[in-house]
Amino acid sequence: MAPQLTSRRKKGRGTAALTWLPLIALAIFVLTPQLSSLTYAFFRSDGSFTTDGLTGLSESGAIVAPLIRSLGIAALTSVLLVCTLVPALVAVHLWAPRLRGVLSIVCTLPLVIPAIAIAAGMTTVLRGLASNGRGSLGMEINLLLQSENLPLVLVGTYVVLCLPFTYRSIDAGLASLDLRTLHESSASLGADLRTTLVTVVAPNIRGSVMFSAFYTFALSIGEYTIAATLSINTLPVFLNTLSDANFRGSITLSVLLNFTTWLLLAAATVGASRFDRRAAKSAELPAAPTPTTASRKENQLV
């Protein structure tokens, strides 16, 4: 028996080692370019530490405008997507459950449409608006959408790009709730729909909402294709332009941008899992015992 147990243990260890090989290969594939960029950004060829890339960025001051523009676009996109998607999904779950399939198809369509195709479509629309000439309504809308400080055309486009992933997250959070019972209980207490959304529904899906907001922010602040096609100087576009004059500075900025994106996604994942665990624990707590008919009569007699 002992030799058989030993052989089984060896086979089990070999199988466990094989299951780790794909993860190790994926880690090497992902981390090797990042570590190489990090080494080039902060170390010279002789191995000495340097901050020339950061110094060049801070001294030029050209990074300020693209950074503020990208942060504003990312923040507005996150808020707009969450504030639009949550009420829409709540309405579908409550009053039109048969439309969930249609909404799912519509929200997942951006997965099969390349970003460059969306950018080409937006370019055609903007040109059509501008073709009406100066002073026309179309030109005013065109200028508003392509405002230098806050280009709303990018906000709308990024909302569409983030729909497939945020829809799945929020829809799964709502599907885990007895939404109709929560709504009817809240309405019986005199709460309107807005109060129900803010005080009842939102706390129960805050993990999904947090993940959606952080994911949208990370994608919006790092997106390059559409911004470059529309000639809007966001942070990734500035990074590409900076590589011609300050290559080490562009690599440093790229490393910092990747680190920020990873940090946001990690915070979203950890925060969502913690909120889900708390919600599960609170759901498992035993309900307070209700008084029986005999105890009620005794209380009335007393």
Side-chain angles (χ1 to χ4, degrees):
M1 292 295 293
Q4 293 180 356
L5 290 175
T6 304
S7 62
R8 289 178 181 177
R9 289 176 181 176
K10 290 182 179 180
K11 289 181 180 179
R13 291 175 183 176
T15 305
L18 289 176
T19 57
W20 280 99
L21 285 179
L23 295 178
I24 294 174
L26 180 61
I28 294 174
F29 180 78
V30 173
L31 293 178
T32 299
Q34 303 300 324
L35 292 177
S36 301
S37 301
L38 182 66
T39 303
Y40 180 82
F42 293 101
F43 293 94
R44 297 188 179 93
S45 57
D46 57 357
S48 59
F49 183 78
T50 179
T51 57
D52 292 343
L54 294 175
T55 304
L57 291 175
S58 61
E59 289 179 353
S60 64
I63 191 178
V64 177
L67 177 61
I68 294 176
R69 187 177 298 113
S70 294
L71 291 175
I73 292 172
L76 183 58
T77 303
S78 300
V79 173
L80 181 63
L81 182 60
V82 171
C83 293
T84 303
L85 192 57
V86 172
L89 282 175
V90 169
V92 170
H93 276 260
L94 283 177
W95 301 297
R98 294 183 179 180
L99 295 180
R100 287 185 62 185
V102 177
L103 186 62
S104 176
I105 294 174
V106 171
C107 290
T108 53
L109 275 179
L111 285 176
V112 298
I113 302 176
I116 189 65
I118 297 177
M122 291 304 304
T123 303
T124 304
V125 172
L126 293 174
R127 287 178 180 175
L129 292 173
S131 63
N132 296 323
R134 294 183 178 180
S136 63
L137 179 61
M139 178 60 73
E140 294 298 327
I141 296 176
N142 184 16
L143 294 176
L144 177 64
L145 293 177
Q146 298 188 85
S147 174
E148 183 178 359
N149 296 325
L150 186 61
L152 297 178
V153 62
L154 284 186
V155 175
T157 307
Y158 292 164
V159 166
V160 173
L161 287 179
C162 296
L163 264 180
F165 308 97
T166 54
Y167 165 78
R168 291 298 181 188
S169 176
I170 296 177
D171 183 67
L174 290 174
S176 64
L177 301 177
D178 190 354
L179 193 59
R180 187 172 300 278
T181 301
L182 291 176
H183 176 260
E184 292 176 355
S185 301
S186 179
S188 65
L189 295 175
D192 56 5
L193 182 58
R194 184 184 65 83
T195 304
T196 302
L197 285 175
V198 174
T199 61
V200 178
V201 178
N204 284 283
I205 60 169
R206 53 187 174 183
S208 301
V209 170
M210 177 181 291
F211 176 83
S212 300
F214 280 175
Y215 175 85
T216 303
F217 190 92
L219 187 143
S220 301
I221 203 172
E223 200 280 330
Y224 170 79
T225 303
I226 296 177
T229 305
L230 297 178
S231 300
I232 299 176
N233 190 23
T234 58
L235 191 59
V237 176
F238 171 77
L239 187 152
N240 184 57
T241 306
L242 181 66
S243 62
D244 297 332
N246 186 1
F247 188 70
R248 187 182 296 274
S250 66
I251 297 299
T252 305
L253 181 59
S254 175
V255 170
L256 295 177
L257 186 59
N258 287 338
F259 178 76
T260 303
T261 303
W262 286 12
L263 187 63
L264 287 172
L265 292 178
T269 304
V270 173
S273 62
R274 286 184 177 179
F275 282 129
D276 291 340
R277 289 175 185 173
R278 291 178 183 176
K281 289 181 179 179
S282 61
E284 293 175 358
L285 291 177
T290 57
T292 61
T293 306
S295 61
R296 289 176 181 172
K297 291 182 178 180
E298 290 178 359
N299 293 332
Q300 292 176 359
L301 291 175
V302 173

